[in-house]
Amino acid sequence: MDMMTDLYPSRVAPRPELRARHDPVVYGTAETGPLPSASLSRYERNGYLAFDQLLPESEVRDLRAELDRLWAWAGDAKDETIIREPSSQEVRSVFAIHRGDGLFARLAADRRIVGMAEQILGGPVYIHQSRVNFKKGFTGKEFYWHSDFETWHVEDGMPRMRAFSLSIALTDNLPHNGPLMVIPGSHRRYVACVGTTPEDHYKASLRRQEYGVPDEESLVGLVAEGGLAAPTGKAGAAVLFDCNTMHGSNSNITPLPRSNIFIVYNSVENALVAPFGGHKPRPEFVATRNATPLTAA
Ligand code: 6CS
Ligand code: FE
């Protein structure tokens, strides 16, 4: 058992609490990677960066074909990496898409992206988690407000805030089809949540989260301070957001799917320890415990 002190306790106190962040947001400088200092300071201030076109159309086309293959496979396959919608058998997410040497794996290790990760996180990185969220037309359900870090800390043992997610749109992300929403500036606070985590919580939480959910009063406060943003864009657009940025997304009742890739980069210096919530760690396909640095392609 690691005796590391818990800087971010959550799901222990009887009342929710809005606390301070104790970690930097940007660990590198403009000299150490592709992002200019204006982007770095915007990221530091807002907790996210939006890219209108991270990937060119030709690459998006190939990734879309890969996405369609993944969807066809997941439809009736039985595999732990496949998460289905809360009240149907429709595929919601497929995890661990960075494994192997397929297109998604190559994308996750792409120099352009890993260079940004090493810059923001200040040194070598590895992939903590990856997934595709399909959010199909008509049936794709919401992701309620949450800080990823809260879950990764309590359930996976991620010690500090030194990770981020990159969400890449493989279909157009429109105002109407349940795009990612973020609360700018929310990454500078930490919402300690209420409730005791059940054993094997991930099996339910990846379909619909009920523990590690921020209270309404804290959300009211965060939105009063920072407002709301929903960066939209064509397929190939992307949003890079801090591990503690409060975010969520609505259900998709339009006919147009909102299918995105999520890749989470963590600093190798922030490797997982025993989960702070005291349960056994979640499985490898949700949270990698091997922090071997990425050797970017
Ligand atoms: O439990 C997790 O690790 C995840 N859950 C959500 C809703 N977002 C981030 C992460 O993929
Ligand atoms: Fe999330």
Side-chain angles (χ1 to χ4, degrees):
M1 195 44 179
D2 199 291
M3 293 316 286
M4 193 175 258
T5 46
D6 187 353
L7 280 175
Y8 300 107
S10 183
R11 310 186 204 176
V12 285
R15 299 258 169 277
E17 211 188 324
L18 202 49
R19 302 162 64 106
R21 179 189 183 112
H22 298 293
D23 293 308
V25 179
V26 174
Y27 288 77
T29 63
E31 286 68 52
T32 59
L35 293 167
S37 63
S39 302
L40 291 176
S41 36
R42 196 149 21 93
Y43 178 72
E44 186 154 49
R45 189 168 60 247
N46 295 333
Y48 74 97
L49 279 179
F51 299 84
D52 290 339
Q53 193 182 18
L54 185 74
L55 303 178
E57 269 172 42
S58 58
E59 249 171 272
V60 173
R61 211 170 314 120
D62 294 345
L63 291 165
R64 265 294 273 287
E66 185 85 341
L67 182 84
D68 293 344
R69 283 192 288 274
L70 188 65
W71 174 260
W73 166 76
D76 42 35
K78 273 212 162 38
D79 195 275
E80 62 177 1
T81 61
I82 304 169
I83 308 296
R84 298 182 189 275
E85 291 289 0
S87 43
S88 75
Q89 285 308 301
E90 186 117 276
V91 178
R92 176 173 172 86
S93 311
V94 176
F95 278 76
I97 53 155
H98 67 284
R99 293 179 186 165
D101 58 2
L103 271 193
F104 293 150
R106 269 181 273 156
L107 175 67
D110 191 300
R111 233 309 109 200
R112 294 165 295 179
I113 296 172
V114 176
M116 291 196 287
E118 291 173 343
Q119 181 180 21
I120 289 176
L121 304 176
V125 299
Y126 72 100
I127 295 172
H128 166 67
Q129 181 188 81
S130 68
R131 69 203 290 191
V132 166
N133 286 339
F134 286 95
K135 205 178 269 194
K136 277 289 157 178
F138 300 115
T139 47
K141 291 289 176 278
E142 79 279 0
F143 291 83
Y144 191 71
W145 293 110
H146 64 281
S147 147
D148 293 330
F149 178 77
E150 195 274 346
T151 295
W152 298 339
H153 184 69
V154 173
E155 300 192 21
D156 299 334
M158 183 182 284
R160 310 292 289 253
M161 295 178 186
R162 195 169 179 178
F164 70 76
S165 293
L166 181 67
S167 167
I168 306 173
L170 292 186
T171 63
D172 295 351
N173 279 221
L174 306 160
H176 327 99
N177 63 353
L180 180 74
M181 299 187 288
V182 299
I183 306 180
S186 57
H187 62 305
R188 287 179 300 214
R189 309 297 206 95
Y190 180 67
V191 181
C193 304
V194 165
T196 313
T197 320
E199 199 66 51
D200 281 335
H201 177 230
Y202 72 92
K203 290 182 181 163
S205 74
L206 299 179
R207 306 180 84 180
R208 184 191 285 122
Q209 192 169 358
E210 287 175 38
Y211 300 87
V213 172
D215 62 294
E216 293 184 1
E217 198 182 316
S218 299
L219 291 169
V220 168
L222 292 174
V223 172
E225 277 175 29
L228 286 165
T232 52
K234 292 237 161 271
V239 184
L240 190 163
F241 59 101
D242 178 80
C243 59
N244 188 46
T245 298
M246 196 58 80
H247 64 284
S249 63
N250 284 315
S251 293
N252 182 12
I253 63 168
T254 77
L256 312 168
R258 188 226 59 162
S259 303
N260 289 8
I261 299 181
F262 284 80
I263 311 163
V264 182
Y265 296 90
N266 186 27
S267 164
V268 299
E269 288 174 52
N270 195 34
L272 305 186
V273 298
F276 289 85
H279 285 292
K280 68 172 189 294
R282 299 196 295 178
E284 217 25 60
F285 78 89
V286 199
T288 318
R289 305 196 74 82
N290 175 357
T292 310
L294 267 181
T295 45

